Amino acid sequence: MDRTDGRGEMTGKDGAADAAGADGTADAAGSDGAADAGGSDGPADAAGTDEAWRQHWGRPEDALARAVEVLRAPRPDLLPRLSEVLDTLVPHTALAQLSGVCTFNPAHSHGSPELTAALSTRDLSRLAERAAATTPAGRPWQGEAELAGRSRPVVVVATTPGDDGGAVLVLVRAGTEPVAPGALAVLQQLWDLVIAHSDHRATDAAPTQTAASRASANARARAIAEFTGTHSAALTAILAPLRSADLDDAAARRSATELAVTALLDLRQGAELDRALSEQPADAAFARLVRELRPLLRHTRVHLDVAPPAQADRSVPADAAHTARDAVRVAVLLMLDREKPTRLHVSWQLTADGLLRAVVRGDGLGTLPADALTVHRTADRITALGGHHGVEAVPGWGTTVTVDLPLALPEPAHVTDPLDGLQPREREVLDQLARGRRNRDIAAALHISESTVKFHVANILAKLDVSSRGEAAALAHRAGHPRGPVGLHAAS
């Protein structure tokens, strides 16, 4: 068990977190053919490149304004906005990111279709590994990479927020001249800021977003598992006859066998990469929680005892880890504010029945109410993942908050409301039906043909298991339709 005092200093076996600086320079990649960050075209070219980016980023207020512009972008627009802002820092034709922050779709790209189509998750991972092997942590790497059939200049920026899945940004550069060291330093800091912001967004996501992310990750995991099984079976079947001694062409058989073995290895590596992006090691996730709790206790006299999960080598879904950390932080804040404890104990357990159990125990007043975790929608986020929580307060003895989150991805919920099975356009037609409108009026209101309306009405009656428009309208009224005032048209 580890322990930290109110100043946040660990007194047990918790290791100190390493911090890597970003000086903005990049080393040569040796045999990989990378260009040296300093360039080889002479001081004049380097000075010209340096002057170009400083016109847009040289003043601190300019750099901060561009960072705010990126951080204000909605999630779907984040990468396009980042590309637009970075074009004056590192001119590029395409960029792509690989991040464990988004468990549903960790790879995103923007720019030239020819290039974005060529940047797969595995390609991004290999570029990140190549950069990590040749450049110190916290420093961008620039060099050459084989993309879309030819070698292209790239810059790779990596960061690892909170020791989680980390994130890498790859820019396919528009020119071949080296990027100035100062521009690389700014690029590294901006990427660190973007990922830290995205990580906080994921940690503090709304309950509906958390549930949607978990459901999407579930569907994605099942699809990947099915394709992996199918491809593995096919490649294994290919290997069997190729390994047969009855074949005469030994050279062809050997070559084909090597190709199939390589394909199998790539397939397995892809599956392992996907798992690494959608899950977190239990011990790393807990260690991050402890680091997040330190500032909360820095100016108090409260002692914190921590007990990490015993199964340190097991992984937990990223959404469950985010929610567990959020629940523990909220519980600690509530106890500090209302309970006045002198000691807090925080533990995680991976139970035999497939749960991540987070427990916060304090020796305070013991007056915390049962609904305390409704603060900041924490209880809703727990429920959205299929979990539950409890608050046990004993006056004079203290309070224990327990949060249980399922480790297994939940199966998609069965449709219980008949209207949930309707497509968006069918809902619009049903809404018009509930207003008592004729097919002709519905067609005019929705800008579709009458035959299309009849087609949708037939589908609605079948999906709702009713025999008339009146029954469908009655169901719609019970479900809260129509929205807005109801007209006086007669149903046809």
Side-chain angles (χ1 to χ4, degrees):
M1 180 181 298
D2 301 334
R3 176 175 296 173
T4 178
D5 60 19
R7 296 169 297 174
E9 299 293 335
M10 294 298 296
T11 58
K13 60 183 179 182
D14 182 53
D18 294 331
D23 59 7
T25 60
D27 296 335
S31 60
D32 284 330
D36 185 19
S40 57
D41 296 331
D45 288 343
T49 303
D50 192 64
E51 180 64 25
W53 75 267
R54 287 189 184 278
Q55 291 178 0
H56 301 277
W57 295 80
R59 299 187 307 166
E61 55 267 34
D62 292 336
L64 287 174
R66 284 165 174 76
V68 170
E69 184 179 348
V70 174
L71 299 184
R72 281 180 172 172
R75 288 188 182 186
D77 300 335
L78 181 61
L79 203 59
R81 187 70 55 81
L82 180 64
S83 176
E84 179 184 347
V85 167
L86 287 180
D87 203 44
T88 56
L89 184 66
V90 181
H92 58 277
T93 57
L95 80 169
Q97 74 167 45
L98 181 65
S99 170
V101 172
C102 177
T103 60
F104 167 51
N105 188 12
H108 299 272
S109 58
H110 176 74
S112 167
E114 175 194 13
L115 293 172
T116 55
L119 288 167
S120 67
T121 301
R122 185 60 187 152
D123 290 334
L124 296 175
S125 176
R126 284 170 174 161
L127 281 172
E129 292 170 358
R130 181 175 169 184
T134 57
T135 308
R139 295 171 59 183
W141 173 85
Q142 57 179 323
E144 299 285 330
E146 191 72 23
L147 297 173
R150 67 183 180 87
S151 182
R152 301 174 189 269
V154 298
V155 171
V156 180
V157 195
T159 188
T160 308
D163 293 340
D164 280 343
V168 61
L169 178 71
V170 175
L171 295 94
V172 183
R173 295 168 50 209
T176 58
E177 65 279 0
V179 180
L184 289 175
V186 174
L187 176 62
Q188 179 72 59
Q189 295 299 321
L190 180 60
W191 182 237
D192 287 344
L193 181 62
V194 168
I195 290 303
H197 180 69
S198 298
D199 191 52
H200 284 300
R201 274 183 172 180
T203 301
D204 301 326
T208 53
Q209 294 173 334
T210 301
S213 175
R214 193 74 184 276
S216 298
N218 186 11
R220 180 168 175 266
R222 284 202 305 270
I224 290 174
E226 291 172 3
F227 281 121
T228 299
T230 300
H231 285 248
S232 296
L235 291 172
T236 302
I238 292 173
L239 283 174
L242 290 177
R243 286 172 172 166
S244 173
D246 296 334
L247 296 178
D248 296 331
D249 194 345
R253 185 171 67 250
R254 183 170 56 253
S255 177
T257 300
E258 290 174 355
L259 288 172
V261 168
T262 301
L264 274 173
L265 290 175
D266 286 344
L267 190 65
R268 290 169 183 167
Q269 289 173 355
E272 292 171 359
L273 171 63
D274 183 80
R275 179 178 178 182
L277 291 170
S278 60
E279 298 181 354
Q280 297 178 5
D283 56 347
F286 186 81
R288 178 181 175 183
L289 169 64
V290 174
R291 289 195 300 273
E292 292 173 347
L293 293 178
R294 287 174 178 169
L296 306 182
L297 304 173
R298 184 167 295 154
H299 302 293
T300 73
R301 297 182 178 275
V302 177
H303 290 274
L304 176 67
D305 296 325
V306 296
Q311 303 93 325
D313 56 339
R314 286 189 58 181
S315 295
V316 297
D319 293 318
H322 288 323
T323 302
R325 287 199 301 266
D326 175 62
V328 169
R329 286 199 309 269
V330 170
V332 168
L333 285 171
L334 289 171
M335 289 185 182
L336 291 175
D337 182 52
R338 305 182 188 181
E339 296 274 297
K340 312 303 180 188
T342 60
R343 185 179 298 273
L344 292 173
H345 178 86
V346 174
S347 66
W348 276 14
Q349 304 169 31
L350 303 179
T351 68
D353 51 348
L355 295 174
L356 168 59
R357 176 166 295 160
V359 179
V360 182
R361 185 178 298 110
D363 63 351
L365 302 176
T367 58
L368 202 65
D371 61 350
L373 289 190
T374 56
V375 176
H376 300 307
R377 302 176 297 183
T378 301
D380 293 336
R381 293 188 64 195
I382 295 169
T383 303
L385 292 184
H388 57 274
H389 70 282
V391 178
E392 183 182 358
V394 180
W397 290 89
T399 300
T400 300
V401 176
T402 304
V403 176
D404 286 333
L405 295 167
L407 293 173
L409 291 171
E411 292 298 321
H414 296 289
V415 176
T416 55
D417 186 346
L419 268 59
D420 289 344
L422 299 182
Q423 297 297 324
R425 177 62 84 180
E426 291 168 346
R427 283 178 171 270
E428 292 176 353
V429 172
L430 179 60
D431 190 81
Q432 297 292 320
L433 280 179
R435 298 172 187 270
R437 290 178 177 169
R438 303 181 179 90
N439 287 349
R440 180 175 63 254
D441 300 321
I442 296 175
L446 301 181
H447 306 289
I448 57 179
S449 67
E450 282 193 60
S451 60
T452 302
V453 173
K454 292 178 181 178
F455 173 78
H456 286 312
V457 170
N459 283 341
I460 291 169
L461 298 182
K463 290 182 178 182
L464 297 185
D465 194 24
V466 296
S467 57
S468 70
R469 298 160 67 102
E471 291 182 66
L475 275 176
H477 281 292
R478 286 199 292 270
H481 288 264
R483 312 296 185 191
V486 178
L488 298 177
H489 300 278
S492 60

